[in-house]
Amino acid sequence: MSSCLSELAPLLGGAANSSAAASYICNQFTDASFAIDTTYLLFSAYLVFAMQLGFAMLCAGSVRAKNTMNIMLTNVIDAAAGGLFYYLFGYAFAFGGPSNGFIGKHFFGLKEVPQPSFDYSNFLYQWAFAIAAAGITSGSIAERTQFVAYLIYSAFLTGFVYPVVSHWFWSGDGWAAAARNPGESLLFKSGVIDFAGSGVVHMVGGIAGLWGALIEGPRIGRFDHVGRSVALRGHSATLVVLGTFLLWFGWYGFNPGSFNVIFKTYGPSGSIHGQWSAVGRTAVTTTLAGCTAALTTLFGKRVQTGHWNVVDVCNGLLGGFAAITSGCSVVDPWAAIICGFFSAWVLIGLNKLAATFKYDDPLEAAQLHGGCGAWGIIFTALFAREKYVNEVYPGRPGRPYGLFMGGGGRLLAAHVIQILVILGWVSCTMGPLFYALHKLGLLRISAEDETAGMDLTRHGGFAYVYHDEDSSAHDGGGGFMLKSAAARVEPRPTPATTGQV
């Protein structure tokens, strides 16, 4: 504001009211900049929230038809329970400053909000991130988990576990944040550059899901009596593709939106160098990483299996997005291609490892989000460009950057620490929670309910309309067959009800 007045007042010719006019114009300019930035952040929040629909469609298509109602309900509950608990506790634990480096301690129930640096739009945006982490976990434990367990873990994850991690790496008070408050020391003089959350969101959700799936064990029939892997395919590749494209769309709020503001220049007035350009570059790196991962998975799985599998390609695409999320703002587009290529092989390799150890994750969530997220953290430490790092995280001359870009190993050391502390924190919180639920009989459903399907046994009926078919009409097998609700035969009116004789 002061610089605006000092620059504008002389341009008004020194008239008697020039100071007042300059003040008025600068105030209007400041108000407009706040409005633009807030609108940008709110629009980004809406995009990230749209990812919940993507998660819902992806999850629904990846499970068997008999569990569709269950997995859809869990996605709704992730958003609803996450909203309440993030409002009451989570936002305060994450961003409630001034605070210590471990956990926030202000803004419970949004008390004392809005403030100049924390408006309601910031809460909405961060809530959308929190429920995304919970949505990742729900995929790992799908098709065999009691609904009450979803309620408990979703509230705990969004209200406490995830917010603490986001405080460490995103809050100005966080002990490992790259954007830590001026005057406070940085971890290895660099801090952790996890721009949009390969670690904060994806690793947290993936590791939580890993512990849940490990503790309750694989689904019935996932491995045969001699331990061989048996594919329990989801019932709708159409829904998987729909969910993938919705997630792709939402990722343009997830990654570019993490700048929070767009009305910020990096150079002299009138130049093209500003945050708006960095936002565009971030959208490009996000796109290229996902596209490369999808194509790499396509051909990699073709070599392995002998056919083209759209579900595998969708998962590979999402793995590329999860990996680039950490460094999307500080790497060049060509580096994003490298990120996507290796993320595909990370996912393929972890899926092979999971089958070897008889680990069952219906959506490959732990491998995709946890594994590819961890790779993305390492990738950022290798390829972060000095110019971009100083633009996105200004005010710290000589800050380390990517190892392969000539910036030394300090950033890599900080990112290894991030992976280890997230692994330790989530394991020490979510692991005991899932184990306690298991011991209390609240985690896994009975074998009978799992075989019949949770839609029928726990949710009042199937998501689709079924009718029995004569087994003789088919190739030797009976069972259920999908039938459109519109094709149902309704009872005809009787003479008594129509008055006819």
Side-chain angles (χ1 to χ4, degrees), residues 168-249:
W168 294 348
F169 303 111
W170 286 348
S171 170
D173 299 309
W175 62 270
R180 201 174 188 197
N181 294 328
E184 297 184 13
S185 62
L186 297 177
L187 179 66
F188 295 115
K189 298 184 179 180
S190 71
V192 170
I193 298 177
D194 189 5
F195 184 72
S198 288
V200 174
V201 178
H202 295 283
M203 273 196 70
V204 168
I207 295 170
L210 172 68
W211 281 108
L214 281 175
I215 291 171
E216 65 179 350
R219 292 166 291 173
I220 295 174
R222 180 64 178 85
F223 300 95
D224 66 16
H225 65 283
V226 295
R228 291 175 300 188
S229 177
V230 177
L232 300 180
R233 299 189 183 279
H235 79 282
S236 176
T238 302
L239 290 179
V240 170
V241 173
L242 174 62
T244 299
F245 275 113
L246 286 168
L247 288 168
W248 189 337
F249 179 64

XYZ file of all heavy atoms in Angstrom, residues 168-249:
617
model
N 2.957 -29.294 9.773
C 4.414 -29.434 9.679
C 4.971 -28.846 8.392
O 6.016 -28.203 8.401
C 4.803 -30.917 9.732
C 4.526 -31.602 11.020
C 4.179 -31.028 12.218
C 4.557 -33.012 11.250
N 3.996 -31.985 13.172
C 4.222 -33.206 12.606
C 4.833 -34.104 10.454
C 4.161 -34.483 13.169
C 4.771 -35.378 11.003
C 4.446 -35.564 12.351
N 4.270 -29.071 7.276
C 4.849 -28.764 5.972
C 4.221 -27.573 5.248
O 4.813 -27.074 4.289
C 4.770 -29.999 5.073
C 5.454 -31.199 5.658
C 4.721 -32.294 6.081
C 6.832 -31.228 5.817
C 5.336 -33.401 6.635
C 7.462 -32.324 6.376
C 6.718 -33.418 6.789
N 3.051 -27.112 5.702
C 2.375 -26.019 4.996
C 2.143 -24.782 5.850
O 1.961 -23.690 5.305
C 1.031 -26.506 4.443
C 1.171 -27.407 3.253
C 2.288 -27.627 2.512
C 0.132 -28.201 2.660
N 2.019 -28.499 1.491
C 0.700 -28.875 1.552
C -1.220 -28.397 2.946
C -0.037 -29.730 0.737
C -1.955 -29.252 2.126
C -1.368 -29.909 1.042
N 2.130 -24.921 7.142
C 1.905 -23.758 7.998
C 3.183 -22.929 8.122
O 4.296 -23.472 8.074
C 1.451 -24.213 9.391
O 1.453 -23.146 10.305
N 3.014 -21.635 8.301
C 4.174 -20.773 8.525
C 4.919 -21.102 9.795
O 6.100 -20.751 9.940
N 4.267 -21.786 10.727
C 4.910 -22.203 11.973
C 5.500 -23.611 11.903
O 6.174 -24.045 12.834
C 3.892 -22.171 13.129
C 3.339 -20.781 13.366
O 4.145 -19.856 13.484
O 2.101 -20.635 13.412
N 5.215 -24.345 10.841
C 5.618 -25.742 10.758
C 7.124 -25.934 10.776
O 7.870 -25.210 10.122
N 7.582 -26.946 11.482
C 9.018 -27.147 11.693
C 9.762 -27.497 10.403
O 10.979 -27.286 10.304
C 9.263 -28.230 12.735
C 8.748 -29.597 12.366
C 7.513 -30.107 12.643
C 9.455 -30.634 11.670
N 7.399 -31.389 12.167
C 8.576 -31.744 11.570
C 10.741 -30.750 11.145
C 8.939 -32.934 10.940
C 11.106 -31.939 10.508
C 10.214 -33.004 10.419
N 9.046 -28.025 9.387
C 9.718 -28.426 8.148
C 9.192 -27.688 6.922
O 9.492 -28.080 5.798
C 9.574 -29.929 7.938
N 8.426 -26.625 7.119
C 7.802 -25.938 5.995
C 8.809 -25.113 5.204
O 9.652 -24.418 5.779
C 6.676 -25.026 6.494
N 8.721 -25.173 3.874
C 9.586 -24.356 3.022
C 9.202 -22.888 3.107
O 10.038 -22.007 2.899
C 9.501 -24.841 1.580
N 7.928 -22.605 3.398
C 7.445 -21.233 3.516
C 7.326 -20.825 4.981
O 6.416 -20.083 5.364
C 6.093 -21.094 2.817
N 8.246 -21.279 5.801
C 8.213 -20.964 7.231
C 8.354 -19.466 7.458
O 8.931 -18.753 6.630
C 9.327 -21.708 7.955
C 9.077 -21.862 9.442
C 10.110 -22.727 10.116
N 9.738 -23.014 11.492
C 10.567 -23.465 12.415
N 11.844 -23.701 12.104
N 10.158 -23.699 13.646
N 7.817 -18.990 8.576
C 7.822 -17.567 8.879
C 9.228 -16.970 8.786
O 10.208 -17.616 9.164
C 7.261 -17.330 10.285
C 5.803 -17.694 10.393
O 5.047 -17.558 9.438
N 5.390 -18.181 11.546
N 9.348 -15.740 8.271
C 10.670 -15.088 8.184
C 11.355 -15.030 9.544
O 10.714 -14.819 10.577
C 10.325 -13.683 7.675
C 9.022 -13.837 6.977
C 8.267 -14.890 7.733
N 12.664 -15.256 9.535
C 13.430 -15.219 10.761
C 13.576 -16.551 11.448
O 14.416 -16.708 12.342
N 12.751 -17.542 11.064
C 12.849 -18.871 11.653
C 13.665 -19.779 10.738
O 13.578 -19.695 9.508
C 11.452 -19.458 11.882
C 10.617 -18.638 12.875
C 9.281 -19.292 13.166
O 9.112 -20.473 12.797
O 8.414 -18.636 13.758
N 14.445 -20.654 11.315
C 15.349 -21.505 10.544
C 14.576 -22.546 9.750
O 13.483 -22.970 10.133
C 16.344 -22.198 11.472
O 15.660 -23.039 12.384
N 15.159 -22.972 8.621
C 14.568 -23.980 7.762
C 15.295 -25.306 7.944
O 16.494 -25.341 8.207
C 14.665 -23.555 6.295
C 13.911 -22.289 5.883
C 14.185 -21.986 4.414
C 12.424 -22.428 6.132
N 14.571 -26.390 7.784
C 15.156 -27.717 7.844
C 16.197 -27.855 6.726
O 15.879 -27.696 5.550
C 14.053 -28.770 7.678
C 14.493 -30.234 7.681
C 15.054 -30.630 9.034
C 13.313 -31.139 7.296
N 17.447 -28.111 7.104
C 18.564 -28.206 6.159
C 18.663 -26.967 5.264
O 19.087 -27.045 4.120
C 18.457 -29.473 5.299
C 18.586 -30.739 6.068
C 17.523 -31.628 6.168
C 19.777 -31.062 6.715
C 17.638 -32.804 6.885
C 19.897 -32.240 7.429
C 18.829 -33.115 7.527
N 18.246 -25.836 5.814
C 18.272 -24.544 5.117
C 17.392 -24.512 3.865
O 17.518 -23.603 3.040
C 19.705 -24.155 4.753
C 20.616 -23.960 5.951
C 21.995 -23.488 5.529
C 22.892 -23.271 6.754
N 24.245 -22.809 6.369
N 16.503 -25.480 3.729
C 15.630 -25.512 2.552
C 14.166 -25.702 2.917
O 13.293 -25.118 2.283
C 16.071 -26.637 1.605
O 15.772 -27.899 2.162
N 13.898 -26.485 3.956
C 12.531 -26.880 4.218
C 12.077 -27.902 3.184
O 12.803 -28.241 2.251
N 10.879 -28.390 3.361
C 10.317 -29.404 2.464
C 9.433 -28.726 1.432
O 8.493 -28.015 1.783
C 9.512 -30.448 3.255
C 8.722 -31.349 2.311
C 10.440 -31.280 4.130
N 9.738 -28.948 0.155
C 8.910 -28.411 -0.930
C 7.904 -29.487 -1.335
O 8.164 -30.312 -2.214
C 9.776 -27.975 -2.126
C 10.736 -26.866 -1.704
C 8.892 -27.493 -3.274
C 11.679 -26.414 -2.814
N 6.789 -29.515 -0.653
C 5.681 -30.413 -1.002
C 4.517 -29.514 -1.373
O 3.581 -29.317 -0.601
C 5.340 -31.322 0.181
C 4.347 -32.409 -0.197
O 4.004 -32.505 -1.389
O 3.911 -33.154 0.693
N 4.586 -28.961 -2.572
C 3.739 -27.829 -2.949
C 2.252 -28.114 -2.784
O 1.534 -27.340 -2.166
C 4.055 -27.414 -4.390
C 3.299 -26.197 -4.829
C 3.621 -24.947 -4.339
C 2.257 -26.297 -5.737
C 2.921 -23.822 -4.739
C 1.556 -25.187 -6.146
C 1.893 -23.936 -5.644
N 1.770 -29.209 -3.352
C 0.336 -29.502 -3.286
C 0.021 -30.823 -2.598
O -1.138 -31.212 -2.547
C -0.279 -29.479 -4.689
N 1.040 -31.532 -2.082
C 0.725 -32.618 -1.174
C 0.977 -34.040 -1.610
O 0.206 -34.928 -1.241
N 2.036 -34.321 -2.371
C 2.371 -35.721 -2.623
C 2.579 -36.467 -1.317
O 2.224 -37.642 -1.187
C 3.646 -35.826 -3.470
O 3.419 -35.438 -4.800
N 3.154 -35.783 -0.342
C 3.337 -36.378 0.977
C 2.192 -36.062 1.908
O 1.617 -36.957 2.539
N 1.833 -34.786 1.999
C 0.829 -34.330 2.973
C -0.525 -34.979 2.733
O -1.208 -35.396 3.678
C 0.714 -32.795 2.938
C -0.416 -32.325 3.841
C 2.033 -32.147 3.362
N -0.932 -35.106 1.480
C -2.240 -35.684 1.168
C -2.112 -37.149 0.752
O -2.709 -38.036 1.364
C -2.941 -34.871 0.062
C -4.286 -35.511 -0.291
C -3.141 -33.431 0.492
N -1.321 -37.409 -0.282
C -1.322 -38.739 -0.892
C -0.640 -39.775 -0.022
O -1.162 -40.891 0.146
C -0.699 -38.662 -2.280
C -1.504 -37.838 -3.232
N -2.651 -38.301 -3.825
C -1.354 -36.557 -3.663
C -3.160 -37.359 -4.588
N -2.390 -36.291 -4.504
N 0.520 -39.464 0.525
C 1.165 -40.440 1.401
C 0.353 -40.677 2.663
O 0.245 -41.819 3.129
C 2.576 -39.972 1.761
C 3.651 -40.370 0.761
S 5.308 -40.202 1.458
C 5.315 -41.532 2.663
N -0.219 -39.626 3.226
C -1.023 -39.797 4.442
C -2.200 -40.727 4.174
O -2.448 -41.693 4.913
C -1.495 -38.437 4.972
C -2.571 -38.621 6.050
C -0.326 -37.648 5.538
N -2.957 -40.467 3.105
C -4.092 -41.317 2.780
C -3.676 -42.721 2.416
O -4.321 -43.705 2.818
N -2.583 -42.857 1.649
C -2.130 -44.170 1.226
C -1.620 -45.025 2.372
O -1.918 -46.229 2.446
N -0.848 -44.440 3.276
C -0.309 -45.206 4.414
C -1.423 -45.589 5.381
O -1.439 -46.700 5.930
C 0.795 -44.413 5.119
C 1.992 -44.238 4.180
C 1.248 -45.118 6.398
C 3.022 -43.265 4.691
N -2.370 -44.683 5.589
C -3.514 -45.027 6.437
C -4.269 -46.210 5.849
O -4.651 -47.151 6.559
C -4.434 -43.821 6.590
N -4.499 -46.182 4.533
C -5.164 -47.295 3.878
C -4.362 -48.580 3.947
O -4.927 -49.670 4.074
N -3.042 -48.457 3.869
C -2.171 -49.627 3.969
C -2.386 -50.350 5.286
O -2.547 -51.586 5.323
C -0.714 -49.192 3.832
C 0.353 -50.254 4.093
C 0.324 -51.319 3.014
C 1.743 -49.620 4.180
N -2.410 -49.610 6.379
C -2.587 -50.245 7.689
C -3.984 -50.843 7.837
O -4.155 -51.930 8.402
C -2.305 -49.242 8.799
C -0.845 -49.051 9.026
C -0.085 -47.966 8.702
C 0.056 -50.004 9.598
N 1.232 -48.175 9.034
C 1.346 -49.415 9.593
C -0.092 -51.282 10.125
C 2.468 -50.066 10.079
C 1.029 -51.946 10.613
C 2.286 -51.339 10.589
N -4.983 -50.145 7.321
C -6.325 -50.701 7.402
C -6.454 -52.008 6.645
O -7.020 -52.985 7.155
N -5.911 -52.034 5.420
C -6.002 -53.249 4.606
C -5.160 -54.385 5.181
O -5.554 -55.554 5.119
C -5.565 -52.930 3.174
N -3.992 -54.066 5.748
C -3.151 -55.101 6.350
C -3.823 -55.740 7.560
O -3.793 -56.960 7.736
C -1.801 -54.504 6.761
C -0.758 -54.297 5.666
C 0.455 -53.580 6.234
C -0.353 -55.627 5.039
N -4.420 -54.919 8.401
C -4.983 -55.417 9.646
C -6.237 -56.249 9.415
O -6.441 -57.287 10.061
C -5.252 -54.250 10.612
C -3.910 -53.666 11.100
C -6.111 -54.685 11.794
C -4.035 -52.384 11.882
N -7.069 -55.853 8.461
C -8.282 -56.646 8.257
C -8.109 -57.759 7.231
O -8.955 -58.647 7.128
C -9.459 -55.755 7.873
C -9.352 -55.041 6.552
C -10.586 -54.203 6.276
O -11.565 -54.346 7.033
O -10.563 -53.410 5.327
N -7.019 -57.760 6.482
C -6.734 -58.862 5.580
C -7.440 -58.745 4.245
O -8.288 -57.873 4.034
N -7.091 -59.649 3.300
C -7.665 -59.581 1.952
C -9.126 -60.003 1.916
O -9.636 -60.661 2.830
C -6.789 -60.552 1.150
C -6.264 -61.515 2.158
C -6.094 -60.721 3.426
N -9.793 -59.632 0.848
C -11.176 -60.038 0.637
C -11.266 -61.552 0.409
O -10.313 -62.185 -0.045
C -11.755 -59.314 -0.586
C -11.951 -57.824 -0.415
C -12.204 -57.154 -1.750
N -11.004 -57.181 -2.592
C -10.975 -56.792 -3.870
N -12.105 -56.374 -4.454
N -9.845 -56.827 -4.551
N -12.409 -62.109 0.744
C -12.635 -63.534 0.510
C -12.537 -63.808 -0.989
O -13.172 -63.148 -1.805
C -14.013 -63.951 1.043
C -14.067 -63.790 2.567
C -14.336 -65.388 0.640
C -15.440 -64.041 3.153
N -11.709 -64.777 -1.348
C -11.552 -65.157 -2.744
C -10.464 -64.413 -3.480
O -10.201 -64.711 -4.654
N -9.814 -63.447 -2.819
C -8.780 -62.671 -3.512
C -7.552 -63.536 -3.813
O -6.860 -63.315 -4.807
C -8.374 -61.482 -2.635
C -7.288 -60.596 -3.244
C -7.764 -59.933 -4.517
N -6.742 -59.057 -5.073
C -5.750 -59.455 -5.868
N -5.648 -60.734 -6.203
N -4.868 -58.605 -6.327
N -7.287 -64.515 -2.958
C -6.197 -65.460 -3.196
C -6.751 -66.870 -3.006
O -7.530 -67.113 -2.075
C -5.034 -65.198 -2.235
C -4.451 -63.808 -2.372
C -4.868 -62.780 -1.538
C -3.500 -63.543 -3.345
C -4.348 -61.508 -1.664
C -2.975 -62.269 -3.482
C -3.393 -61.243 -2.652
N -6.360 -67.784 -3.895
C -6.912 -69.136 -3.820
C -6.212 -69.957 -2.735
O -5.359 -69.446 -1.997
C -6.849 -69.830 -5.183
C -5.420 -70.087 -5.667
O -4.485 -70.012 -4.849
O -5.254 -70.369 -6.873
N -6.543 -71.240 -2.630
C -6.070 -72.076 -1.527
C -4.571 -72.312 -1.564
O -3.982 -72.707 -0.556
C -6.806 -73.413 -1.530
C -6.533 -74.268 -2.732
N -7.123 -74.020 -3.956
C -5.727 -75.347 -2.907
C -6.702 -74.904 -4.834
N -5.843 -75.725 -4.223
N -3.949 -72.083 -2.710
C -2.496 -72.238 -2.780
C -1.787 -70.887 -2.830
O -0.574 -70.825 -3.051
C -2.091 -73.087 -4.014
C -2.605 -74.492 -3.871
C -2.566 -72.453 -5.309
N -2.543 -69.822 -2.611
C -1.948 -68.496 -2.516
C -1.819 -67.734 -3.812
O -1.225 -66.648 -3.830
N -2.378 -68.276 -4.908
C -2.308 -67.565 -6.176
C -3.300 -66.409 -6.211
O -4.406 -66.503 -5.686
C -2.573 -68.520 -7.339
C -1.468 -69.547 -7.572
C -1.856 -70.524 -8.649
N -3.076 -71.251 -8.290
C -3.554 -72.282 -8.992
N -2.910 -72.695 -10.072
N -4.659 -72.883 -8.598
N -2.899 -65.315 -6.861
C -3.749 -64.128 -6.946
C -4.926 -64.377 -7.867
O -4.768 -64.920 -8.969
C -2.924 -62.941 -7.464
O -3.734 -61.799 -7.618
N -6.112 -64.001 -7.406
C -7.336 -64.128 -8.192
C -7.916 -62.723 -8.376
O -8.162 -62.008 -7.398
C -8.368 -65.031 -7.490
C -9.658 -65.084 -8.298
C -7.795 -66.423 -7.277
N -8.125 -62.330 -9.613
C -8.643 -60.982 -9.887
C -10.113 -60.902 -9.491
O -10.937 -61.685 -9.962
C -8.466 -60.648 -11.361
N -10.433 -59.952 -8.617
C -11.830 -59.643 -8.288
C -12.144 -58.310 -8.953
O -12.029 -57.238 -8.348
C -12.025 -59.574 -6.772
C -11.695 -60.845 -5.987
C -11.928 -60.619 -4.489
C -12.527 -62.025 -6.484
N -12.516 -58.376 -10.195
C -12.633 -57.164 -11.003
C -13.826 -56.317 -10.582
O -14.877 -56.833 -10.203
C -12.744 -57.528 -12.483
C -11.522 -58.289 -13.006
C -11.572 -58.439 -14.524
N -10.440 -59.215 -15.003
C -9.218 -58.744 -15.198
N -8.978 -57.461 -14.940
N -8.250 -59.518 -15.653
N -13.640 -55.012 -10.700
C -14.751 -54.093 -10.496
C -15.810 -54.286 -11.561
O -15.546 -54.828 -12.642
N -17.015 -53.812 -11.268
C -18.140 -54.148 -12.151
C -18.345 -53.165 -13.291
O -19.156 -53.425 -14.183
C -19.431 -54.235 -11.318
C -20.036 -52.906 -10.987
N -19.541 -52.088 -9.993
C -21.091 -52.243 -11.523
C -20.276 -50.989 -9.926
N -21.213 -51.060 -10.837
N -17.613 -52.026 -13.298
C -17.894 -51.035 -14.342
C -16.648 -50.247 -14.717
O -16.250 -49.318 -14.006
C -18.998 -50.068 -13.889
O -19.212 -49.050 -14.858
N -16.050 -50.604 -15.847
C -14.935 -49.813 -16.368
C -15.405 -48.431 -16.784
O -14.639 -47.462 -16.761
C -14.291 -50.534 -17.551
N -16.670 -48.316 -17.147
C -17.226 -47.011 -17.525
C -17.135 -46.025 -16.371
O -16.724 -44.871 -16.547
C -18.695 -47.167 -17.959
O -18.766 -48.092 -19.045
C -19.287 -45.834 -18.388
N -17.533 -46.468 -15.174
C -17.455 -45.591 -14.010
C -16.007 -45.275 -13.644
O -15.702 -44.168 -13.191
C -18.169 -46.240 -12.823
C -19.690 -46.332 -12.911
C -20.258 -47.025 -11.679
C -20.314 -44.940 -13.064
N -15.108 -46.217 -13.841
C -13.691 -45.967 -13.569
C -13.169 -44.853 -14.466
O -12.478 -43.929 -14.011
C -12.861 -47.257 -13.761
C -11.372 -46.949 -13.710
C -13.219 -48.283 -12.696
N -13.488 -44.914 -15.749
C -13.033 -43.880 -16.682
C -13.678 -42.540 -16.355
O -13.015 -41.493 -16.377
C -13.343 -44.301 -18.132
C -13.037 -43.163 -19.104
C -12.534 -45.537 -18.507
N -14.968 -42.543 -16.047
C -15.643 -41.304 -15.669
C -14.986 -40.693 -14.442
O -14.705 -39.478 -14.400
C -17.124 -41.585 -15.394
C -17.946 -40.409 -14.842
C -17.966 -39.251 -15.832
C -19.365 -40.858 -14.512
N -14.730 -41.515 -13.430
C -14.083 -41.010 -12.221
C -12.691 -40.488 -12.489
O -12.274 -39.466 -11.920
N -11.961 -41.146 -13.378
C -10.607 -40.701 -13.692
C -10.615 -39.324 -14.344
O -9.817 -38.442 -13.989
C -9.927 -41.718 -14.626
O -9.853 -42.983 -13.966
C -8.529 -41.263 -14.991
N -11.517 -39.109 -15.295
C -11.573 -37.800 -15.946
C -12.034 -36.705 -14.984
O -11.572 -35.569 -15.055
C -12.485 -37.853 -17.174
C -11.785 -38.324 -18.418
C -12.113 -39.534 -18.998
C -10.787 -37.550 -19.007
C -11.459 -39.979 -20.143
C -10.133 -37.978 -20.154
C -10.467 -39.197 -20.725
N -12.928 -37.041 -14.073
C -13.342 -36.055 -13.068
C -12.182 -35.702 -12.141
O -11.997 -34.537 -11.772
C -14.523 -36.600 -12.268
C -15.873 -36.616 -12.987
C -16.887 -37.433 -12.198
C -16.388 -35.190 -13.206
N -11.399 -36.696 -11.760
C -10.218 -36.430 -10.934
C -9.193 -35.605 -11.704
O -8.566 -34.694 -11.141
C -9.604 -37.745 -10.465
C -10.392 -38.504 -9.396
C -9.847 -39.917 -9.225
C -10.347 -37.754 -8.067
N -8.989 -35.907 -12.968
C -8.087 -35.130 -13.817
C -8.517 -33.669 -13.830
O -7.707 -32.753 -13.642
C -8.108 -35.729 -15.220
C -7.082 -35.178 -16.184
C -6.447 -33.970 -16.119
C -6.581 -35.823 -17.356
N -5.593 -33.820 -17.182
C -5.651 -34.945 -17.957
C -6.841 -37.047 -17.962
C -4.984 -35.261 -19.139
C -6.174 -37.366 -19.138
C -5.248 -36.485 -19.718
N -9.800 -33.443 -14.032
C -10.335 -32.080 -14.041
C -10.097 -31.393 -12.699
O -9.660 -30.241 -12.627
C -11.830 -32.130 -14.363
C -12.509 -30.794 -14.379
C -12.163 -29.829 -15.313
C -13.503 -30.487 -13.463
C -12.790 -28.594 -15.331
C -14.135 -29.264 -13.476
C -13.781 -28.312 -14.410
